[in-house]
Structure formats: C-alpha cells, structure tokens
C-alpha cells in the first residue's frame, strides 16, 4: 500500500470528530496551473497506515462531562440546567446530536473544510475566470444535457454546452459550462494558454513585457535548494542506462541472451550508488535509505531524513511569481470581447426525460421578468470597475439593545407606485435615524415573482428584487444605513419556496425532488408552496451559501428566519399544541430541518462572529436560543408572537374596563429563562398586511364604537397606543424591540398590495409621510415614539436587568415595576384617575418624571401638575418595599420616573 506525502504546507482546522467548528479566515481561491517542479517524498509500505491524529491521547482518559460524550458538549445540557426531565425528548436530542455529527463527517468527505459548504456561490452560477473566460456551474441531477442560452449566443442551445470529458458533468449532478472570451479581429491568441488577466485594474505586472522563461527560472531558483532538482534535470539518466544495457551494442542479441542478462534490482543499484558516493562532500540532498521489510508484496520502503522533510514541508509554493505574468484590464479588452457582456440576458437550457426546459439558474444574482409577461431571465451583472459600487462605511457595532424598524421597500413611498431602493435610501433612512432606531429589518427584498405575496414566496434566492432597482442600488442602501449607524437585518425565507416552475426552483431539472421533498411532504399543507429537502447535502449547500452570500456580497448584519414552524413540522405548524415536550419530538418533527437550523447558526456565527440571528416560531420550540453544544438551535433572539395577538384580542373583543393586568404582564414577560433573548413588538407588518387592520385604524377608525364623540375617540386611541408601546417596550425583559414602518406615527390605513380583488390598485400600498408635516395626532404620536426610543438609548431602559413587577392590581388596573434606577407606573383604567396613589420603592430619594404619556406634547391632557414631576419618598412599607411614592395617576396614562438623588435615612 502506497501513500504520497506532498511537500506543500496544508493547515486543517476542522475535524469531523471534533464537537465544534474552529475556522480559519476564508480566502477567495481561484484555480491555477503553475508550471513548476514539485517534489514528492514517496513512502511505500505493506501495512495500512492509520489516519494521522491531531494529538495523541491516552485511550484510557476520555473527555466527558456529566451528560455528554465530548468535552464541553452536552446534547441535553439545557434540560439539565432547567431541571427538566423528559426521557423521550432527551433521547430525541441525543439522536439529533449524533445525526448532526454524522452530517459533518459526510460533508468533510466532499469539502476541504466544513465551512466551504457555505461558499458554494464562489463556484456555482456564472463567474468570470482569470484566464479570459466565463465559467457556469449549476446543479441539475435529473438533466441529460445542459447549456447556457442568452442574447450573447442568440439563444442557441448548442453553442455553449457542457462538454463530456472536460469536467462537463459529474456524478453528483453538477454541470459545468465554459464560455471562452471572443478574440477580436486582427488579434493573435495569447502565447501562454494559461495567460491570466486582472479585470479590476487597467494595468498589471504582465503588461511590462516580462519574459515567461525568465519568470519560471527565477521561481525555480528561489524555490529549490542546490541539488534538490537533480532528478528533474537528470530524469532520464537511469532509464538511459537501462536502455543501453538492454539495447546497446553490448546488449543481448537474442531472446535467450536477454533472459540470461542479470538485471540489478533497485535496492542493489541504490547500495552501489551509496558506496560510490560515500566520500562525496555533504550536500542539501536528503539522506534516504531503502529498507526491505521482507514481505512478498513489499517492493521497497524509502525513508527520508525527518529534518529534511520538515524543511521541505515548510516551504510555500512560489505562487507569487505567477502574478508576474498577469496582465491588466486594458490588455484584456484590447484582445478579447467578453463572452457574456455586462447586462446580458440568459437562462440555462436542460434536456430532460420530460423534454427540453429553460430555467432561470438557481444561483442567479439578478433576475428580471420578461416585459411581455413571458418567462423571466437572469441578467449578468458585471459592471466595469469605475461603475461598480464602492463601499464607504463599515457596519456599526451591535448594540446591547436592538430597536428594529421593520420596513418594506416597495410600499415605503408616498405615491401609489412601487418605491425603489434609491427612494428608500434618500427619504426613509433619514427618518429612521431621526426616530431613534438603531437597526432596520427589510422584508420582501429577495426576488419573488408575485408582488402581492409581500416577498414570502421567493423564486430566486440569491437575487435582490429587480422591481426595486439593481444590486448596486441595494448595496448603496445598506452602505448608507451603516453610515447612519443602522444595522441591516434581512427577513429570510428558507422555510418554503414558491411553487412557480418557470422562474423558481420547482421542477428545476424536470424532476420533482431536485430541491424539494417528494409527495405530500413536498408541498405546504395550506399555502401550496414547496418544502425543501433539508437532509440533502446539495440543498444544504444551497441554503447555507445563500445565507453567507447576503453577508459577503451585501454586508447584511443579521437574519430573521421566517415561519420556522412551517419547516420544523410535517404538519407545517397547523396543529394544536398543549406544551407537552412530546409534541416537539414525535413523528411529525422534521429532524433534518432542525439540523439545518443548527448548521445555519453554527456556520454563520463561526464565519461572521457579529452576526445576529432571530427565530420566528409560533410553537416556541424548546432550546431556540440555547447553544448548540447544549442541545439548542443557536439563535440569538426569538420573537414573542403572543404579545401582538394579545393586544389585538384586547382591542377587538374586550372592553377597556375588563382588561386583565395579570394577563398583560404574564404575556409580556414570557419565558423568564430566556427573557433577555426575547424580541417583542406591539404590532408588526402582520397586523397591517395580512388582511387585517393596524391598531391605529382600529382605534381611530369607524370600528371604534366605545366613544361618544370623535374627539374623545381620538384621545382614547392615542392614550391606548402610547400605553401599549410603553409597556411592551419596557416590561418584556427582552433586549430587542421591533416596530413596523409607519406605526410610529399611527398610520391610519392598512396595507393592501395590488391584486385582482382590488383591480391591482396601489392606493393602499404606500405610507402617508405627509401626515408628519401637520401638527396633530400623528405628529404627537411620533414625538412620543421618538422619546421612547431615546429612553432605550440614553437610559438603557431595555438593556438593564430583568424588570421587577412589584405592584400589580387588577382592580385599580395599575401596574408598577422597577428596572435599574427607573420606575414605571401605568394606570390602564379607562375612567378612574388617582390623585394620590402609593407605589413602593426600595431606594429612598428623589424621583423625577422623565417620560409621561399624558404630556401635552404627546397629545395628552397634561393632568399631572408641574410641581409633581419631582417626587420624594416617604417612609411606609408598600408593595414589600421600605419606602413609597405618593403619585398622581391620570386614567390611561403611564409615567417613567428616574431616581436622581439618593437620600440617607
């Protein structure tokens, strides 16, 4: 058995047997063919050599903790920490962890490093190669023939096809098409068939007319030690001697003489050579010895000097010399015209058992629909260096508290039309900064065919929606947001995909199970969308690379994973949940989907340590925000969906005087074990877009039947909205808050996208920003929301510890809680005001009102006297506290007090 050890230095940082991933910085590699001399040390042996281990350990000593089988890893760690005992769920977590390790090993068999599965976009799709050509690669295992068609070849299915025998098709179903740049008339082909070009710079080192032989000679002189290239220079010396011995003038003349000719074996010749050169001066050649192990199938074993092996392995290949012959962009454009020019339209052509198909490539980065309503096509986006967007800003640091502004680019304008990335950048981003938010979350950005789906039925996962602008327009949006100190999050939909066959991934290669499950599992139970096959390695590569693509290409700072319940369960989350852990590990749970989420979080956080991932799951799957090493899924935050549902239910079905304070507090505080991981919102886009009404529309519109006059109804609605936002923002205990675009000033109308039912009208698919220019209701509400965000920024209102609710009275409808030096007091009673209301505090001192929902500048009545904005504690045990404050509490109002001076009693 022979093994070959190369002299090239290779560093591994991942082993499939390791419990966690440790990554080296990723580099963009391009394949090259360097004409140089590579020396190998050959070791032939008759015995099987064990795989080299990273470190030697005593087999008797095992790194085990109380529950886990690896150091620092416990598949049921969070159950143990929380004191939960559930045998079935514990077994499920252990099996899931084992399957997770097995998938890593399978990936390691095909990838140089496990993290490379998230860099598929560097190979797949259409890319420019340094050797004056374009390379196209896509995955279509069900196809029999593949070619690239477009306006650059008059849509010919035969001109640019994958050629058999030239890596055109492999056993995994990948197709590879090479499109050579066209030589201009009157130009001669390159002297070097491997000539490379630098497409970003006008000139490079190769433009100086350097001689290739001189470059190679210099490379060899610098790389090889004296005498090390002896074999390369005299490679025919031994064969020539053997030839002379056999066929020379003194060689055998007949077959009988040939059989009698004594031929020395390799070991004998080596021993003679060593005896002949025993007195030679020392050289840099390695000292080698031939050892015969005495076995029939053992020819020889070459053993080299370990010091020499270490020296040769430490050498770096002379790759920098390769760049000496690279030419610049001007030389390339003078000699060649691009095979696929910038802006070219193209599709991929497949011949399948079902017949010929044309599809938009799965890895296309820019897609546009046909203006005549026909099949969409991909656009090759490769602007010249002087036209390409250049980044100006770096992403801001992630704050301890996130105040997220959720927005949809298309409806962000005031006019009844689709707004653009440029409109959003110039008009909406400054408003978000002024409003006091520190992050934006974009929905509907990834390419989707039908506008009315709000972007949730994605067709092209690597492309920004062309209806808003170009890829460079989106880069400018992200860059300007970073310049304003705003993080940029993207709502990503990997839980399902559009079922469209002409532009999406459904039946991509003519087969039903290319990217998706077969049968009923391949379709969403109610929405008709396609469900991914998460257990397939190619699908894993597609989805993981897609996440990494948005970070690498567009510098996205985080993701909210949409509708996890659709992917985690085979019933797509449409089932009754009682809270029993058995419901999270039974036959309806898709273990492959959970493992994909684990992979997504582990790889994203390893490659991009500052990334933020948010889970949106209506079923509150256990361990969403627990570390993967402890049995969790690894998310940074989870969305508390029950809060907005509670507010909607109270507004629509419960009279104001019957609101339960206990229910409000318990819903807002959620799971105390993960309170700091919770993202909350009073309302997001779901209330406005999903066929419902915004809270402002409910409170200010004709649906309000509880007020006798319009002015009273406005005051009630304004007061309730401010109270809802104040308590949602400050009581949840979470460090993240979200608000949908327009709700900060009480947008009076819902969102309705153009569709057949409204005659494709855009009248409700916009935002009425002009309401902020008039003094009144909307300006008052915006002023309050801005000061509320300032409370989070300047007073750290949501980044402090868990709130302590020390006063809760369902009769008076008053809630009071403490968070650091801040005291929050809210009176939800619709009619009862309290001139003197005792609320307990632990610290004796002076408390100053820093925010009052009833302030006149917020559209309130200003019922609290100016002299009562500063309160001093009195001795008296209230709410289990040693001191108390005697406060004035107007009905439907909330106040935030800050301890400004401590008194020693």
């Amino acid at each position: 058995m022979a093994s070959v050890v190369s002299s090239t230095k290779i560093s591994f940082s991942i082993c499939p047997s390791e419990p966690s991933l440790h990554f080296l910085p990723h580099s963009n590699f391009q394949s090259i063919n360097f004409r140089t001399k590579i020396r190998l040390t050959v070791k032939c042996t008759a015995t099987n050599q064990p795989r080299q281990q990273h470190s030697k350990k005593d087999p008797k000593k095992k790194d085990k903790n109380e529950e886990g089988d690896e150091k620092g890893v416990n598949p049921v760690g969070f159950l143990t920490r929380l004191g939960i005992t559930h045998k079935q769920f514990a077994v499920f977590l252990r099996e899931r962890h084992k399957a997770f390790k097995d998938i890593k090993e399978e990936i390691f068999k095909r990838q140089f490093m496990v993290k490379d599965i998230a860099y598929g976009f560097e190979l797949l799709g259409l890319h420019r190669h340094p050797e004056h050509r374009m390379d196209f690669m896509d995955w279509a295992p069900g196809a029999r023939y593949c070619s690239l068609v477009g306006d650059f070849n008059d849509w010919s299915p035969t001109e640019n096809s994958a050629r058999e025998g030239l890596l055109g098709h492999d056993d995994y179903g990948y197709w590879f098409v090479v499109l050579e740049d066209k030589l201009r008339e009157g130009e001669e082909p390159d002297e070097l068939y491997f000539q490379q070009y630098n497409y970003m710079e006008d000139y490079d080192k190769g433009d100086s007319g350097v001689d290739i032989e001189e470059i190679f000679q210099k490379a060899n002189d610098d790389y090889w030690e004296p005498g090390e290239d002896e074999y390369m220079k005299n490679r025919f010396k031994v064969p020539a001697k053997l030839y002379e011995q056999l066929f020379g003038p003194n060689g055998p003349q007949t077959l009988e003489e040939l059989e009698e000719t004594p031929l020395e074996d390799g070991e004998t010749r080596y021993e003679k050579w060593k005896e002949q050169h025993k007195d030679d001066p020392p050289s840099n050649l390695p000292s080698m010895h031939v050892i015969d192990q005495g076995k029939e199938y053992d020819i020889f074993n070459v053993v080299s000097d370990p010091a020499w092996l270490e020296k040769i392995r430490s050498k770096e290949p002379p790759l920098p010399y390769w760049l000496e012959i690279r030419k610049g962009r001007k030389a390339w454009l003078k000699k060649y015209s691009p095979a696929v020019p910038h802006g070219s339209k193209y599709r991929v052509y497949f011949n399948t058992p079902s017949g010929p198909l044309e599809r938009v490539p799965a890895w296309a980065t820019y897609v546009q629909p046909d203006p005549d309503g026909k099949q969409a096509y991909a656009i090759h986006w490769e602007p010249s260096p002087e036209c390409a967007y250049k980044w100006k800003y770096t992403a801001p640091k992630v704050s301890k508290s996130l105040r997220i502004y959720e927005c949809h680019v298309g409806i962000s304008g005031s006019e009844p039309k689709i707004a653009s990335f440029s409109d959003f950048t110039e008009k909406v981003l400054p408003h978000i900064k002024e409003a006091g938010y520190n992050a934006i979350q974009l929905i509907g950005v990834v390419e989707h065919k039908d506008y009315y789906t709000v972007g949730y039925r994605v067709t092209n996962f690597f492309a920004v929606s062309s209806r808003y602008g170009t890829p460079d327009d989106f880069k400018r949006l992200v860059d300007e947001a970073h310049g304003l100190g705003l993080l940029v999050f993207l709502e990503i939909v990997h839980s399902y995909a559009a079922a469209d066959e002409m532009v999406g991934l459904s039946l991509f290669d003519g087969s039903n199970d290319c990217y998706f499950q077969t049968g009923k599992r391949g379709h969403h139970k109610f929405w008709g969308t396609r469900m991914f096959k998460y257990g397939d390695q190619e699908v894993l590569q597609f989805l993981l690379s897609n996440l990494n693509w948005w970070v690498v290409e567009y510098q996205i700072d985080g993701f909210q994973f949409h509708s996890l319940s659709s992917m985690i369960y085979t019933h797509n989350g449409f089932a009754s949940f009682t809270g029993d852990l058995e419901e999270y590990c039974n036959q309806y749970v898709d273990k492959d989907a959970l493992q994909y989420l684990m992979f997504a979080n582990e790889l994203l956080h390893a490659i991009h340590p500052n990334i933020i991932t948010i889970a949106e799951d209506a079923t509150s799957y256990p361990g969403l925000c627990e570390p993967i090493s402890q049995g969790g899924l690894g998310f940074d935050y989870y969305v508390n969906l029950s809060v907005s549902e509670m507010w909607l239910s109270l507004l629509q079905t419960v009279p104001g005087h019957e609101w339960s304070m206990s229910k409000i507090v318990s819903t807002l505080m959620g799971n105390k074990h993960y309170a700091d991981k919770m993202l909350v919102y009073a309302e997001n886009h779901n209330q406005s877009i999903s066929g419902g009404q915004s809270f402002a529309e409910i409170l200010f519109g004709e649906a309000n039947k509880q007020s006798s006059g319009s002015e009273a109804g406005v005051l009630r609605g304004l007061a309730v909205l401010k109270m809802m936002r104040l308590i949602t923002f400050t009581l949840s205990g979470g460090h993240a808050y979200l608000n949908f675009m327009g709700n900060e000033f009480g947008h009076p109308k819902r969102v309705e996208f153009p569709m057949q039912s409204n005659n494709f009208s855009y009248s409700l698919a916009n935002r009425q920003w002009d309401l902020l220019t008039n003094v009144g209701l909307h300006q008052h509400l915006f002023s309050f929301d801005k000061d509320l965000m300032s409370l989070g920024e300047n007073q750290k209102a949501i980044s402090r510890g868990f709130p302590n609710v020390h006063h809760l009275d369902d009769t008076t409808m008053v809630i009071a809680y403490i968070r650091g030096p801040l005291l929050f007091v809210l009176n939800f009673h619709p009619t009862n005001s309290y001139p003197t209301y005792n609320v307990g505090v632990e610290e004796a001192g002076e408390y100053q009102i820093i925010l009052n929902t009833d302030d006149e500048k917020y559209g309130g009545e200003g019922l609290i006297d100016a002299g009562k904005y500063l309160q001093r504690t009195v001795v008296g045990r209230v709410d289990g506290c040693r001191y108390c404050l005697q406060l004035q509490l107007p009905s439907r109002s909330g106040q935030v007090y800050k301890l400004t001076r401590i008194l020693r009693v």
Side-chain angles (χ1 to χ4, degrees):
M1 179 179 180
S3 60
V4 180
V5 182
S6 172
S7 62
T8 304
K9 180 181 179 182
I10 299 176
S11 298
F12 280 94
S13 59
I14 296 180
C15 180
S17 61
E18 292 179 350
S20 59
L21 304 179
H22 304 282
F23 295 100
L24 295 175
H26 187 84
S27 301
N28 295 326
F29 294 101
Q30 294 176 334
S31 60
I32 58 175
N33 302 312
F34 198 93
R35 194 183 73 175
T36 186
K37 303 171 182 179
I38 301 177
R39 180 171 188 140
L40 299 178
T41 299
V42 182
K43 181 177 182 180
C44 304
T45 178
T47 59
N48 292 329
Q49 296 295 321
R51 180 175 177 177
Q52 184 177 358
Q53 302 295 323
H54 288 276
S55 61
K56 296 182 179 180
K57 294 184 178 180
D58 187 347
K60 296 181 181 180
K61 296 181 181 180
K62 297 181 179 180
D63 291 325
K64 287 190 176 183
N65 53 17
E66 183 180 355
E67 295 285 346
D69 58 350
E70 300 159 85
K71 187 175 181 180
V73 176
N74 186 352
V76 295
F78 81 93
L79 294 182
T80 304
R81 181 175 59 83
L82 299 177
I84 299 175
T85 56
H86 193 283
K87 183 177 180 181
Q88 183 179 353
F89 191 64
V91 170
F92 175 83
L93 292 180
R94 294 182 188 278
E95 292 177 348
R96 189 183 73 186
H97 174 70
K98 182 180 182 302
F100 187 53
K101 289 175 56 181
D102 292 342
I103 293 177
K104 287 184 182 178
E105 295 223 17
E106 289 299 318
I107 292 175
F108 196 77
K109 291 177 182 178
R110 290 175 53 183
Q111 305 286 346
F112 182 72
M113 298 177 69
V114 173
K115 72 165 184 175
D116 289 344
I117 197 173
Y119 283 90
F121 55 83
E122 293 183 350
L123 292 176
L124 286 108
L126 186 61
H127 299 280
R128 175 152 295 286
H129 192 278
E131 295 177 4
H132 53 83
R133 71 173 198 246
M134 299 290 293
D135 292 343
F136 173 78
M137 192 174 181
D138 215 329
W139 180 62
R144 297 175 175 175
Y145 174 88
C146 173
S147 67
L148 206 64
V149 298
D151 52 13
F152 55 88
N153 62 8
D154 295 328
W155 302 92
S156 170
T158 58
E159 183 171 339
N160 300 110
S161 61
R163 292 166 287 183
E164 295 294 338
L166 294 173
L167 300 179
H169 186 210
D170 68 5
D171 295 337
Y172 296 106
Y174 288 96
W175 294 88
F176 185 64
V177 180
V178 176
L179 301 94
E180 298 284 352
D181 287 342
K182 300 174 183 177
L183 192 67
R184 296 186 185 274
E185 186 176 355
E187 294 291 337
E188 295 292 332
D190 287 312
E191 180 182 356
L192 303 174
Y193 73 93
F194 45 78
Q195 177 66 58
Q196 291 193 355
Y197 290 90
N198 178 357
Y199 303 108
M200 303 306 296
E201 303 291 338
D202 287 342
Y203 299 99
D204 211 325
K205 296 179 180 179
D207 292 311
S208 62
V210 63
D211 183 71
I212 185 62
E213 296 299 332
E214 181 181 344
I215 292 295
F216 282 134
Q217 184 61 45
K218 185 178 179 181
N220 288 331
D221 291 344
D222 289 352
Y223 186 67
W224 297 108
E225 301 281 351
E228 285 184 349
D229 56 351
E230 175 68 23
Y231 169 74
M232 301 299 295
K233 292 180 178 179
N234 302 281
R235 67 181 70 185
F236 300 114
K237 183 176 181 179
V238 173
K241 288 185 177 180
L242 289 175
Y243 185 88
E244 181 180 0
Q245 183 179 359
L246 292 174
F247 305 107
N250 299 323
Q253 302 298 317
T254 64
L255 291 177
E256 290 77 7
E257 293 180 5
L258 177 63
E259 293 177 356
E260 296 174 358
T261 301
L263 296 178
E264 297 175 345
D265 57 28
E267 183 175 0
T268 303
R269 291 195 304 273
Y270 171 72
E271 292 295 338
K272 286 185 176 181
W273 176 88
K274 190 168 63 172
E275 178 65 25
Q276 180 182 353
H277 295 276
K278 64 180 180 179
D279 298 327
D280 289 357
S283 70
N284 288 320
L285 287 173
S287 56
M288 295 185 178
H289 299 281
V290 179
I291 300 173
D292 184 357
Q293 296 182 350
K295 298 180 181 180
E296 295 181 1
Y297 49 85
D298 178 47
I299 303 174
F300 55 80
N301 187 26
V302 179
V303 180
S304 181
D305 181 14
W308 178 85
L309 283 176
E310 183 64 27
K311 181 182 69 174
I312 198 65
R313 285 172 180 168
S314 65
K315 284 181 176 291
E316 298 289 347
L319 297 181
Y321 292 102
W322 182 255
L323 303 179
E324 298 288 337
I325 63 171
R326 189 174 63 181
K327 297 182 179 180
R329 179 179 178 85
K330 284 198 172 183
W332 169 62
L333 290 176
K334 179 179 179 297
K335 186 179 287 288
Y336 297 98
S337 61
V340 184
H342 168 64
S344 298
K345 305 172 185 177
Y346 69 96
R347 287 193 286 263
V348 60
Y349 175 93
F350 294 125
N351 194 351
T352 71
S354 304
L357 300 173
E358 283 191 16
R359 292 284 188 258
V360 175
W363 299 73
T365 59
Y366 190 29
V367 178
Q368 281 189 348
D370 192 291
D372 298 328
K374 299 178 182 178
Q375 186 176 357
Y377 46 77
I379 300 250
H380 177 53
W381 189 257
E382 189 187 12
S384 59
E386 57 270 15
C387 297
Y389 186 80
K390 298 175 178 61
W391 295 93
K392 298 182 293 184
Y393 306 104
T394 58
K397 293 183 179 180
V398 178
S399 173
K400 293 183 179 179
S401 65
L402 294 176
R403 303 181 301 281
I404 305 171
Y405 192 86
E406 185 185 42
C407 37
H408 186 284
V409 173
I411 65 172
S412 63
S414 300
E415 300 178 9
K417 66 175 185 179
I418 299 177
S420 66
F421 288 134
S422 298
D423 295 334
F424 186 91
T425 302
E426 295 165 6
K427 299 176 182 179
V428 182
L429 284 181
H431 167 80
I432 299 172
K433 178 64 176 178
E434 179 191 358
Y437 292 85
N438 60 7
I440 62 173
Q441 180 170 298
L442 298 167
I443 63 175
V445 166
V446 186
E447 187 61 84
H448 51 287
K449 177 186 176 184
D450 300 315
Y451 186 50
Y452 70 86
T453 63
V454 199
Y456 287 117
R457 297 189 180 182
V458 177
T459 52
N460 309 99
F461 286 78
F462 289 83
V464 295
S465 182
S466 60
R467 56 175 59 87
Y468 309 134
T470 67
D472 281 7
D473 292 336
F474 184 60
K475 288 181 180 179
R476 176 172 173 258
L477 186 157
V478 176
D479 199 22
E480 293 297 332
H482 287 165
L484 293 173
L486 300 173
L487 297 170
V488 181
F489 299 155
L490 197 65
E491 185 167 29
I492 199 77
V493 185
H494 281 182
S495 47
Y496 50 82
D500 191 281
E501 299 175 8
M502 300 302 290
V503 64
L505 297 176
S506 186
L507 299 179
F508 180 69
D509 62 350
S511 64
N512 193 41
D513 58 348
C514 184
Y515 284 93
F516 306 109
Q517 302 276 2
T518 57
K520 291 183 178 180
R521 284 198 62 187
H523 298 267
H524 194 283
K525 192 174 182 180
F526 293 98
W527 301 339
T529 49
R530 299 304 308 270
M531 308 306 296
F532 284 107
K533 185 166 51 176
Y534 299 101
D536 190 285
Q537 191 170 149
E538 269 64 40
V539 177
L540 274 180
Q541 181 181 34
F542 179 83
L543 295 175
L544 294 172
S545 296
N546 183 240
L547 294 172
N548 195 25
W549 161 262
W550 290 104
V551 183
V552 172
E553 181 69 13
Y554 294 107
Q555 300 190 11
I556 295 298
D557 303 301
F559 299 97
Q560 176 171 311
F561 286 72
H562 170 73
S563 188
L564 295 188
S565 56
S566 295
M567 62 188 291
I568 292 177
Y569 310 99
T570 57
H571 52 61
N572 304 128
F574 288 86
S576 299
F577 282 82
T578 63
D580 191 336
L581 286 179
E582 186 273 336
E583 297 168 337
Y584 301 106
C585 60
N586 57 24
Q587 69 272 24
Y588 301 110
V589 176
D590 189 341
K591 190 183 297 182
D592 291 335
L594 292 172
Q595 289 165 1
Y596 160 69
L597 294 175
M598 295 165 66
F599 255 120
N601 281 296
E602 188 166 80
L603 285 171
L604 280 175
H605 287 96
I607 300 172
H608 311 287
N610 295 324
I611 203 77
I612 297 294
T613 58
I614 305 170
E616 181 194 79
D617 175 28
T619 66
S620 300
Y621 194 86
L624 279 174
C625 296
E626 289 285 354
I628 295 172
S629 62
Q630 300 302 303
L633 298 182
F635 286 97
D636 297 302
Y637 294 93
Y638 75 97
V639 181
N640 187 343
L641 297 171
S642 59
V643 174
S644 60
E645 295 173 358
M646 174 197 69
W647 289 127
L648 183 61
S649 175
L650 291 175
L651 290 176
Q652 291 183 331
T653 63
V654 183
H657 63 279
E658 294 181 7
W659 285 17
S660 170
M661 301 298 101
S662 299
K663 179 180 179 180
I664 291 175
V665 170
S666 61
T667 304
L668 281 169
M669 300 190 74
N671 189 339
K672 293 184 178 181
H673 297 297
Y674 305 108
D676 59 330
K677 302 289 187 179
M678 181 166 43
L679 182 150
V680 295
Y681 52 81
E683 59 177 327
N684 73 341
H685 69 275
N686 288 326
Q687 286 70 42
S688 301
I689 292 178
S690 304
Q693 295 175 301
S694 68
F695 291 170
E697 188 174 5
I698 294 173
L699 290 168
F700 300 146
E702 296 178 357
N704 182 16
K705 304 297 184 182
Q706 301 183 24
S707 299
S708 57
S710 60
E711 184 177 353
V714 168
L715 288 175
R716 170 191 177 271
L718 188 59
V720 171
L721 273 178
K722 290 183 290 185
M723 294 276 287
M724 289 166 49
R725 292 184 186 174
L726 174 60
I727 194 170
T728 303
F729 184 67
T730 59
L731 179 59
S732 67
H735 295 172
Y737 173 82
L738 181 142
N739 175 64
F740 180 60
M741 177 176 59
N743 288 343
E744 71 277 8
F745 61 88
H747 197 278
K749 294 183 179 180
R750 65 189 182 280
V751 177
E752 193 174 277
F753 283 81
M755 61 186 74
Q756 189 173 5
S757 60
N758 60 15
N759 295 321
F760 300 98
S761 171
Y762 285 85
S763 60
L764 293 177
N766 52 30
R767 301 279 87 179
Q768 300 179 19
W769 301 107
D770 57 312
L771 295 174
L772 288 172
T773 61
N774 303 321
V775 177
L777 163 69
H778 301 288
Q779 194 177 83
H780 291 152
L781 194 55
F782 176 65
S783 296
F784 171 77
D785 194 83
K786 184 163 62 172
D787 288 349
L788 186 62
M789 295 303 105
S790 177
L791 189 72
E793 175 68 21
N794 300 325
Q795 304 298 332
K796 314 299 180 186
I798 65 174
S799 59
R800 298 183 184 274
F802 197 72
N804 173 28
V805 180
H806 65 295
H807 184 92
L808 176 60
D809 194 326
D810 282 311
T811 303
T812 61
M813 300 183 68
V814 174
I815 302 172
Y817 50 96
I818 298 173
R819 200 163 186 179
L822 304 179
L823 171 67
F824 301 84
V825 184
L826 297 96
N827 177 17
F828 276 91
H829 204 287
T831 57
N832 291 353
S833 296
Y834 306 104
T836 305
Y837 196 95
N838 292 335
V839 175
V841 291
E842 282 294 339
E843 289 283 354
E846 294 180 347
Y847 289 77
Q848 174 78 39
I849 291 181
I850 58 175
L851 185 69
N852 176 20
T853 65
D854 192 48
D855 200 309
E856 291 181 354
K857 67 179 180 179
Y858 304 142
E861 300 181 74
L863 297 177
I864 297 181
D865 300 334
K868 294 188 177 181
Y869 266 58
L870 181 64
Q871 293 285 336
R872 179 173 292 188
T873 56
V874 297
V875 178
R877 197 161 190 85
V878 177
D879 301 326
C881 302
R882 293 177 293 174
Y883 310 100
C884 75
L885 293 171
Q886 296 177 338
L887 308 176
Q888 179 184 354
L889 302 182
S891 63
R892 282 204 178 111
S893 71
Q895 293 77 39
V896 182
Y897 291 84
K898 181 179 181 180
L899 178 62
T900 57
R901 181 184 176 191
I902 298 177
L903 300 179
R904 301 301 177 188
V905 179

